[in-house]
Amino acid sequence: MTEAAAPTAKHRPRVFSGVQPTGALTLGNYLGALKRFVEMQDEAGMETIYCIVDLHAITVWQEPSSLRDAIRSVAAAYLASGLDPARSIIFNQSQVSAHAELGWICSCVVRLGWLNRMTQFKEKAGKNAEAQSGGLYMYPALMAADILAYRATHVPVGEDQKQHLELSRDIAAKFNKDFGVPDFFPLPEPMIGGPAPRVMSLRDGTKKMSKSDPSDMSRINLTDDADTIAAKIRKAKTDPEPLPEAAEGLDGRPEARNLVGIMAALTDRTVEQVLAEYAGQGFGVFKPRLAEAAVAHLSPITAEMSRLMADPAEIDRILADGAARADAIARPILAEVYDTVGLLRPRP
Ligand code: AQP
């Protein structure tokens, strides 16, 4: 794990991260993000801000009523995973206009050459880049604004977001340099780690597990019941070899590596500890044990999510309260940004 002290002493340690409400969350979102969000919430001295990034979600078409449901469902997943609104600020992005306002300024700081290098845009756009929204292309500038609006110092994300986070650092550094304000924005530190920083598809160990993958069998959803989880793991692609004694033995075996990494993350062990238990065993033994571990870990979360989803008004109340607290942090920082850039507007 990239554990780090605050990037500069000037800025208080503050965590920011988010998840897009683009569908049911996956085990990848859980292990790469939510589980780590909860760990950071419990770290002494850290202020934690967790956002449901709905403005990012609309960079690809979302059916409006499904989007509303998905925002509440991600909020329910946050709460059910252990985020506590008394200890973390939990809200949806569109309720705090500083994100969109600073997003525009970051769009003016980022360089086209930097955006052109973003592999996630290339992967999502595929061969049809011309037909994508401008928002999908500018996504990393809005992501930078999300983080910088709070002067966040630490950002827990899955490995797939590493490149975007590096761009956020570049935007922060360029802003500080262009306006002659060293240390105005801290350079946010990526927190990528754990035994499963990149959970892969159950159907193809070289492809990321993703909530927008057309195949539901490729992923475990946080809303899947125990039978569905067991069936998906049983049918997961593997190879005929037994499990090795050491992690190097997983080289060239992406599916095996993925399942072992998932087991390690779910049971709070290292890959080596899992291999010490299963070395020499085949997947006929390993898969049912993995299914048991997944069900034991996820079923309380799934049950709590459905309990919370039965009361959408309570979720909306938590989000509105979180938005007011987030706005109180972001608003004065945005006022400083406007002053620094030379934009004129009355003081509140
Ligand atoms: N497979 C994964 N393994 C580890 N971490 C993952 N994350 C996503 N997939 C994996 C992490 O989850 C957080 C939220 O991701 P996101 O919703 O903002 O978008 P994404 O990274 O594009 O995730 P998806 O599931 O693939 O969404 P869609 O399909 O909508 O694009 C991030 O911290 C991410 O790293």
Side-chain angles (χ1 to χ4, degrees):
M1 190 188 289
T2 326
E3 296 298 353
T8 69
K10 183 174 174 239
H11 299 287
R12 63 176 293 182
R14 185 177 277 155
V15 170
F16 177 92
S17 198
V19 172
Q20 296 187 76
T22 40
L25 297 196
T26 70
L27 182 66
N29 299 126
Y30 177 72
L31 294 177
L34 269 59
K35 188 166 182 286
R36 322 256 341 280
F37 293 179
V38 177
E39 288 160 7
M40 307 248 8
Q41 170 183 257
D42 296 333
E43 231 170 80
M46 277 284 180
E47 184 176 23
T48 44
I49 306 176
Y50 296 119
C51 188
I52 298 149
V53 288
D54 47 11
L55 296 175
H56 284 278
I58 59 168
T59 57
V60 295
W61 165 255
Q62 305 293 328
E63 203 280 309
S65 69
S66 309
L67 177 61
R68 265 187 289 275
D69 286 346
I71 294 168
R72 292 188 182 118
S73 164
V74 174
Y78 277 8
L79 299 168
S81 300
L83 290 184
D84 173 3
R87 285 187 291 158
S88 291
I89 296 178
I90 299 169
F91 70 105
N92 59 309
Q93 187 186 24
S94 57
Q95 288 203 54
V96 179
S97 63
H99 291 257
E101 293 178 59
L102 187 56
W104 176 253
I105 292 173
C106 289
S107 303
C108 298
V109 174
V110 75
R111 304 291 93 180
L112 284 182
W114 301 358
L115 291 171
N116 285 338
R117 285 196 285 278
M118 294 299 108
T119 53
Q120 192 174 84
F121 177 80
K122 290 179 194 160
E123 281 160 18
K124 288 201 171 176
K127 293 196 178 77
N128 209 5
E130 300 268 312
Q132 304 304 320
S133 73
L136 188 66
Y137 188 70
M138 293 308 299
Y139 181 116
L142 180 58
M143 178 166 157
D146 298 337
I147 299 164
L148 301 180
Y150 302 94
R151 292 195 164 119
T153 54
H154 295 82
V155 185
V157 282
E159 203 171 68
D160 61 312
Q161 291 296 332
K162 186 164 182 263
Q163 194 186 33
H164 285 165
L165 209 53
E166 279 161 6
L167 195 82
S168 296
R169 289 168 64 91
D170 291 343
I171 290 174
K174 183 164 165 56
F175 183 97
N176 293 350
K177 181 164 170 288
D178 286 355
F179 293 101
V181 282
D183 270 354
F184 184 90
F185 286 127
L187 304 190
E189 199 67 47
M191 310 293 290
I192 299 169
R198 190 177 178 88
V199 178
M200 308 309 274
S201 158
L202 299 179
R203 309 303 299 163
D204 176 352
T206 63
K207 226 172 104 187
K208 185 183 83 145
M209 182 181 285
S210 183
K211 52 179 131 64
S212 57
D213 191 304
S215 163
D216 192 57
M217 292 304 284
S218 70
R219 59 176 169 264
I220 292 171
N221 304 307
L222 293 190
T223 47
D224 284 343
D225 62 24
D227 289 347
T228 309
I229 292 174
K232 285 179 176 177
I233 292 178
R234 197 167 53 245
K235 292 190 180 141
K237 187 176 168 201
T238 41
D239 58 43
E241 302 299 317
L243 286 166
E245 280 172 15
E248 302 79 68
L250 294 169
D251 290 350
R253 300 177 64 188
E255 285 83 16
R257 178 184 292 284
N258 189 34
L259 296 189
V260 171
I262 292 173
M263 177 67 119
L266 284 172
T267 55
D268 286 320
R269 287 183 290 174
T270 61
V271 163
E272 286 72 17
Q273 286 167 331
V274 172
L275 291 177
E277 185 179 348
Y278 292 100
Q281 307 271 21
F283 286 98
V285 172
F286 185 75
K287 279 182 169 178
R289 302 288 295 277
L290 177 60
E292 273 166 33
V295 170
H297 198 100
L298 298 180
S299 60
I301 296 175
T302 310
E304 179 61 3
M305 275 178 73
S306 46
R307 192 190 70 76
L308 290 162
M309 285 299 278
D311 189 358
E314 174 60 8
I315 294 180
D316 293 358
R317 194 198 59 71
I318 291 170
L319 294 177
D321 175 66
R325 287 155 63 203
D327 190 69
I329 299 172
R331 193 81 358 226
I333 295 174
L334 188 68
E336 275 187 62
V337 172
Y338 278 128
D339 275 352
T340 303
V341 171
L343 299 170
L344 188 63
R345 65 178 197 172
R347 286 253 162 224

